[in-house]
Amino acid sequence: MKKTADPEVRLLQALADPTRLAIVRELAGNAEVCACDFTTCCDVGQPTVSHHLKVLREAGVVVSERRGSWIFYRLAPNVAERLGGIARGLVPGGIIPVGELTRRRSGQTAKPASA
């Protein structure tokens, strides 16, 4: 993977690999996962898992914590917001909430919020 300084590009490049995406999906379903447990979900060896975790860490997708000889990983707290920001930037006019889109299509106007 070619190195780039753009954090958005690094994030998307990190997620574009099937093994790294499997790691992220595994983390999305768990509060944290020990590095040794990724070999099962990804069907790759520990050296390959370590490489992919390094790429994800450098892209800011995951954070890690060492506990004795074990390293536990979890998704970075802001990764969902970062992905949402990228997605919003790709949609002309921004992302519209489903409820608002439904109202617009049916010709209804949004009700003002009551205080």
Side-chain angles (χ1 to χ4, degrees):
M1 181 168 71
K2 184 180 175 187
K3 292 278 186 173
T4 178
D6 186 329
E8 291 181 352
V9 171
R10 290 181 71 190
L11 173 64
L12 294 174
Q13 283 178 332
L15 295 174
D17 180 88
T19 301
R20 290 192 288 270
L21 188 55
I23 289 170
V24 170
R25 286 181 172 147
E26 183 73 14
L27 287 169
N30 297 285
E32 63 183 12
V33 177
C34 180
C36 62
D37 293 330
F38 288 117
T39 56
T40 306
C41 79
C42 302
D43 198 29
V44 295
Q46 190 61 49
T48 303
V49 167
S50 294
H51 164 75
H52 288 301
L53 288 168
K54 177 184 176 194
V55 172
L56 290 168
R57 211 174 33 252
E58 289 175 349
V61 176
V62 300
V63 293
S64 62
E65 179 183 338
R66 180 176 288 280
R67 296 182 199 149
S69 60
W70 304 105
I71 302 175
F72 289 83
Y73 287 85
R74 60 186 174 278
L75 290 176
N78 66 341
V79 73
E81 290 82 15
R82 289 177 64 200
L83 286 168
I86 293 169
R88 282 187 297 279
L90 298 175
V91 177
I95 294 178
I96 302 168
V98 172
E100 176 63 22
L101 184 60
T102 304
R103 282 190 295 277
R104 287 182 187 184
R105 286 187 177 166
S106 66
Q108 298 174 1
T109 57
K111 295 179 182 178
S114 56

